[in-house]
Amino acid sequence: MTPTFPFYLEAITHFLMLLIMGVYAWKFDNRFRYRMLAGFYLVATALLIQPLSQNENIHVHNALYLFTGLVFAGYFFAVLQTSWRSRLALALALPTLLYFVYQLVGGGYPWFDSMGYALASISIVIMIFLYFHEMLHHVSETPLLESFDFWLICGWLMYHLGAFGIFLTYSSLTQTMHLVGESYISTGRDLFTYLWGLNNVLLFLSALVAATGLGWKIYHRSYQL
Amino acid sequence: MENLSQELSIVIVGSGFLFMVALAIACVVLVYQKKQLRQRFEKKQMQSLYHQELLKARLEAHEETLGQLAKELHDNLGQLLNSSKLLVSVAKNNHTDEALDMAHETLTVALQELRGVSKALDSGGVEHFDFIENLRAEAKRINASKNLVMTLEHPDQLALPKEQQLVLFRMVHEVFQNVLEHARASHIRVRTRQDDHNIEVEVIDNGNGFSQGAVIAPGHGIQNIKHRTSLMGGVVEWLSGPTGTRVRIQLPLS
């Protein structure tokens, strides 16, 4: 199957996020967490661009969900101020890690591991809720919309919450496909395509939200000067 | 047809989901801004209360200074000038140099006292206020009365801003007043300590103590001390028994 535009969106979005994180780390705040995210998006872009030409990107994706879970846990560990929340964020990476190890020991997952992705996404959503909980309990003087972290995390919420639902549906459809057999594949394939398209659109929109946050910071800084 | 309906369903579900997430984020932003406004209002109120208490402390210090100066003028300076007048009168009637010499000496002492009074008036402002200096002066005044002995233990100076030193002194002064009026103590020990983060003042007397429930009444000095301590972000505690009372005031340095 020739990849259509929504499939290219994944690599484009990760590249866009790489640019956003790079500009932010360079212009505003070069703390480790932002450089780590820039590094993550660089690796993700490289991993996603390469298999597009071969149209076989299942194993790349299966490694990517683990990488995503670990990096995001590290980011939230740095961002959250209260010790119990930051430790909980770090602990939320464990289910994803354990699941990946379990699959690896079992010989690797031959198809797209949507359950692994669903696990990583729901862990990230819980980390995001921890962030919002802390934010509402520790109000600061700075206006919320001036925080780049807020914009970044809102974009992630938009993507990962939707992705969780998509990946669960994916997992259910995959299991049905294996039970029903070849006759399901031809009718269910289009649904897989649309769902993956939606996933990539949500990913792209989350990058646009992060870009808006960066744009706001740049505008605010130039306005103050 | 089936594909089109599937695609349409995905678009509708996706749009609905995005709308719900955007709405949820907007609610979070609104709640946050509301909490921020409330916090700013409370901070302004606290600042206003703090300035009011500072003004009150300044007025109290001013009134007390004037009261003490009036007493000094009457008891000390007035007596010296009166003595000088009598000596000049004796010298005039008896034509003796001795009386004139004594009058001269008495007037010299009177001038020194007057300079002291002038200096006290001049240094009565907050900018010159020093907690340790005023504590020593208070100890000297109380010890001079011979009803009570006050011993002090303190560093050379406090790392608090002058205005906070004034408020702290007013609170400690309130404690002294309570001891003098109610405790029937013979000895007060005042310990002042400071480290990198806090300043602590302990006033320990050997009086007859009090029941805390009995004295927590509106308008009482203890309420005033509690209120001022909390405005400065500190804590105050009382420990009282039949052998005496210990009051501990702790204030942060930041």
Side-chain angles (χ1 to χ4, degrees):
Chain A
M1 187 190 74
T2 312
T4 56
F5 174 67
F7 284 87
Y8 285 110
L9 262 182
E10 208 174 353
I12 291 168
T13 304
H14 280 84
F15 181 68
L16 179 61
M17 285 302 294
L18 165 65
L19 288 177
I20 291 166
M21 295 315 307
V23 167
Y24 185 76
W26 174 43
K27 284 276 185 189
F28 294 96
D29 191 339
N30 68 346
R31 277 182 287 183
F32 175 70
R33 66 182 87 146
Y34 303 111
R35 288 183 280 136
M36 178 182 67
L37 284 174
F40 162 72
Y41 284 114
L42 175 66
V43 169
T45 310
L47 286 174
L48 289 167
I49 281 176
Q50 186 258 336
L52 272 173
S53 60
Q54 296 160 10
N55 205 24
E56 288 290 336
N57 57 2
I58 284 170
H59 300 293
V60 166
H61 273 104
N62 287 348
L64 198 52
Y65 79 72
L66 169 70
F67 195 34
T68 307
L70 293 176
V71 167
F72 276 49
Y75 170 81
F76 279 100
F77 176 75
V79 155
L80 293 167
Q81 302 294 316
T82 37
S83 61
W84 72 266
R85 285 191 186 94
S86 58
R87 282 176 201 158
L88 182 57
L90 210 56
L92 283 167
L94 274 176
T96 312
L97 178 65
L98 289 171
Y99 179 81
F100 181 82
V101 168
Y102 168 74
Q103 290 295 351
L104 201 67
V105 164
Y109 206 76
W111 301 281
F112 176 71
D113 193 352
S114 44
M115 195 44 86
Y117 258 98
L119 204 54
S121 286
I122 195 63
S123 301
I124 290 166
V125 167
I126 295 170
M127 291 177 209
I128 291 169
F129 286 155
L130 281 174
Y131 171 80
F132 283 140
H133 187 257
E134 184 181 84
M135 194 185 74
L136 289 173
H137 281 81
H138 296 89
V139 175
S140 75
E141 289 288 319
T142 323
L144 190 58
L145 297 180
E146 281 177 32
S147 163
F148 176 70
D149 286 320
F150 174 75
W151 287 94
L152 192 62
I153 290 166
C154 283
W156 287 343
L157 176 68
M158 193 185 301
Y159 170 64
H160 285 287
L161 194 56
F164 175 64
I166 290 168
F167 293 132
L168 277 185
T169 313
Y170 235 78
S171 177
S172 162
L173 288 174
T174 312
Q175 281 171 14
T176 311
M177 185 178 79
H178 291 305
L179 283 170
V180 173
E182 276 296 322
S183 61
Y184 188 81
I185 293 172
S186 55
T187 53
R189 190 183 290 276
D190 286 336
L191 187 56
F192 277 112
T193 307
Y194 297 140
L195 281 175
W196 195 247
L198 177 62
N199 172 72
N200 290 347
V201 165
L202 285 177
L203 188 64
F204 185 70
L205 286 175
S206 76
L208 287 184
V209 171
T212 307
L214 179 65
W216 180 258
K217 287 286 285 184
I218 292 170
Y219 166 75
H220 203 255
R221 182 191 259 193
S222 59
Y223 180 74
Q224 277 180 335
L225 288 170
Chain B
M1 193 66 187
E2 198 180 312
N3 284 356
L4 193 63
S5 71
Q6 264 183 354
E7 208 171 326
L8 199 60
S9 308
I10 298 279
V11 168
I12 289 168
V13 165
S15 305
F17 167 76
L18 281 172
F19 175 75
M20 295 299 288
V21 169
L23 195 66
I25 290 170
C27 288
V28 165
V29 171
L30 281 170
V31 169
Y32 184 87
Q33 283 177 340
K34 198 174 160 186
K35 284 193 171 200
Q36 211 177 34
L37 278 169
R38 192 166 65 207
Q39 196 182 59
R40 272 186 209 150
F41 175 72
E42 280 168 10
K43 192 178 169 184
K44 272 199 179 132
Q45 263 194 328
M46 288 290 285
Q47 278 174 343
S48 168
L49 275 170
Y50 174 75
H51 286 124
Q52 273 176 26
E53 279 302 319
L54 186 62
L55 187 64
K56 203 168 140 188
R58 278 183 179 181
L59 283 171
E60 282 170 8
H62 188 66
E63 274 173 26
E64 198 183 315
T65 306
L66 286 177
Q68 280 176 3
L69 286 171
K71 199 164 177 287
E72 278 276 320
L73 284 170
H74 178 268
D75 295 347
N76 234 355
L77 204 57
Q79 295 295 329
L80 286 167
L81 289 172
N82 216 20
S83 299
S84 304
K85 186 184 160 191
L86 280 170
L87 286 165
V88 165
S89 194
V90 163
K92 189 180 165 186
N93 292 335
N94 299 341
H95 303 287
T96 57
D97 287 342
E98 198 183 327
L100 271 175
D101 288 338
M102 279 181 71
H104 183 265
E105 271 175 36
T106 311
L107 279 169
T108 306
V109 172
L111 263 171
Q112 280 172 355
E113 288 290 323
L114 190 64
R115 282 193 191 110
V117 165
S118 170
K119 192 182 168 190
L121 276 170
D122 188 41
S123 62
V126 175
E127 312 77 42
H128 305 287
F129 188 88
D130 186 80
F131 177 83
I132 303 294
E133 206 178 288
N134 279 272
L135 191 65
R136 283 186 192 141
E138 191 68 14
K140 194 176 169 186
R141 190 182 69 80
I142 287 175
N143 287 337
S145 69
K146 300 203 192 306
N147 294 329
L148 195 59
V149 172
M150 183 183 279
T151 53
L152 303 177
E153 195 185 306
H154 56 76
D156 292 334
Q157 54 186 10
L158 292 190
L160 271 183
K162 295 289 179 188
E163 57 194 32
Q164 287 193 14
Q165 287 192 39
L166 172 63
V167 179
L168 176 61
F169 180 76
R170 295 308 312 161
M171 292 195 290
V172 169
H173 191 263
E174 190 80 51
V175 173
F176 294 159
Q177 290 302 115
N178 287 341
V179 170
L180 288 168
E181 284 168 24
H182 306 290
R184 292 184 204 151
S186 60
H187 182 252
I188 304 179
R189 190 159 62 124
V190 184
R191 276 205 307 223
T192 309
R193 288 178 288 206
Q194 71 179 353
D195 57 31
D196 292 337
H197 307 288
N198 296 297
I199 280 173
E200 193 179 275
V201 179
E202 266 185 328
V203 179
I204 305 156
D205 70 71
N206 63 347
N208 51 14
F210 66 90
S211 160
Q212 289 197 18
V215 297
I216 308 290
H220 201 279
I222 288 177
Q223 290 288 15
N224 212 9
I225 294 169
K226 275 185 172 181
H227 180 60
R228 284 177 174 177
T229 315
S230 88
L231 274 180
M232 292 207 285
V235 289
V236 58
E237 60 182 28
W238 281 267
L239 272 171
S240 190
T243 54
T245 304
R246 189 182 85 159
V247 181
R248 190 175 74 92
I249 302 171
Q250 191 183 62
L251 298 177
L253 273 175
S254 58

